Amino acid sequence: MKNAIKKILVTEEEIKQRCQEMGRQITEDYKNYEVKPLLVGLLKGSVPFLAELMKYIELDVKYDFMCVSSYEGTESVNDVKIIMDLNSSIKDMPILLIEDIVDTGQTVKTVKELLYNKGASEVKVVSLLDKPERRVVDVEANYIGFTVPNEFVIGFGLDYNQSFRNLPFVGVLKEEFYEENN
Ligand code: IMP
């Protein structure tokens, strides 16, 4: 699998260190909140990031998942369809929405609106990666792990055709691999 990688952008060690810093920052920012934030991970890409980050949040936080897709599903919200919804009410709760990458920004913008419609008191976005060059809607993450260039990235939750999510680092796929499969 590793021979399909053109270059590594962010190493396993850098991800761990950055998660420690972000966890400390979130702990500081939310320590005085009476209701602690619910971490909402967007499936499937956020799973490794959520698992690493939450180890360093020293607050009594709970987590839940949502699965949304632009292409398939049952309920449509703008262009984003909900495949799997949250398990419990989020009325009057602060939410930390955990994403793998903010690319065009459409997913985060729509899911934020959806969470506010469900009664969340506040929604902040935590993203492992930010690709600002691709943004088409006006939305920014509140906490960003790393800014990446306008290249297709894989690993640490990010996939190409559902593969490569289990790589422990973030990298760029070799073009020939990409072309072969298209
Ligand atoms: P959006 O364009 O900001 O709505 O991003 C939607 C989703 O596209 C992200 O949550 C990722 O799952 C996926 N995505 C965007 N850019 C990349 C990439 O470079 N590699 C892998 N997945 C990506």
Side-chain angles (χ1 to χ4, degrees):
M1 200 165 57
K2 287 187 180 163
N3 59 10
I5 308 301
K6 184 162 113 182
K7 61 182 170 193
I8 294 179
L9 290 180
V10 192
T11 67
E12 187 172 5
E13 191 51 40
E14 285 168 334
I15 293 172
K16 184 176 177 186
Q17 268 182 24
R18 189 74 188 108
C19 284
Q20 287 171 348
E21 290 167 10
M22 293 170 92
R24 272 198 293 273
Q25 185 65 55
I26 289 168
T27 304
E28 184 61 27
D29 293 350
Y30 285 87
K31 67 177 186 219
N32 295 325
Y33 275 50
E34 204 173 317
V35 180
K36 299 303 181 220
L38 174 71
L39 311 182
V40 173
L42 285 187
L43 293 174
K44 303 171 190 171
S46 72
V47 169
F49 177 47
L50 174 60
E52 184 63 22
L53 175 72
M54 69 181 174
K55 294 194 277 184
Y56 311 111
I57 301 177
E58 293 181 25
L59 301 168
D60 179 16
V61 290
K62 300 183 172 110
Y63 66 89
D64 202 345
F65 291 102
M66 279 179 86
C67 186
V68 299
S69 159
S70 310
Y71 308 107
E72 49 183 292
T74 51
E75 188 187 336
S76 176
V77 185
N78 297 339
D79 287 336
V80 176
K81 328 265 185 221
I82 302 171
I83 313 283
M84 191 191 94
D85 210 342
L86 295 172
N87 247 334
S88 53
S89 167
I90 56 165
K91 190 159 168 32
D92 300 325
M93 290 182 72
I95 305 291
L96 279 171
L97 179 61
I98 315 291
E99 239 308 31
D100 51 1
I101 187 165
V102 184
D103 186 31
T104 65
Q106 266 152 338
T107 304
V108 159
K109 187 170 194 287
T110 308
V111 175
K112 261 182 98 167
E113 282 167 18
L114 184 85
L115 295 171
Y116 276 120
N117 288 341
K118 285 174 176 284
S121 58
E122 179 190 272
V123 182
K124 294 208 168 154
V125 178
V126 190
S127 187
L128 173 65
L129 304 176
D130 185 25
K131 213 193 272 179
E133 284 175 55
R134 291 251 310 160
R135 203 75 90 252
V136 299
V137 293
D138 186 19
V139 69
E140 295 305 328
N142 302 84
Y143 302 89
I144 294 166
F146 304 90
T147 299
V148 291
N150 188 7
E151 291 183 282
F152 193 79
V153 295
I154 47 161
F156 212 78
L158 292 122
D159 73 303
Y160 172 63
N161 284 347
Q162 299 299 323
S163 289
F164 304 106
R165 292 192 196 274
N166 57 325
L167 287 173
F169 53 80
V170 174
V172 179
L173 202 59
K174 282 182 186 158
E175 278 90 10
E176 64 259 33
F177 191 92
Y178 194 78
E179 284 153 13
E180 264 172 34
N181 286 276
N182 267 316

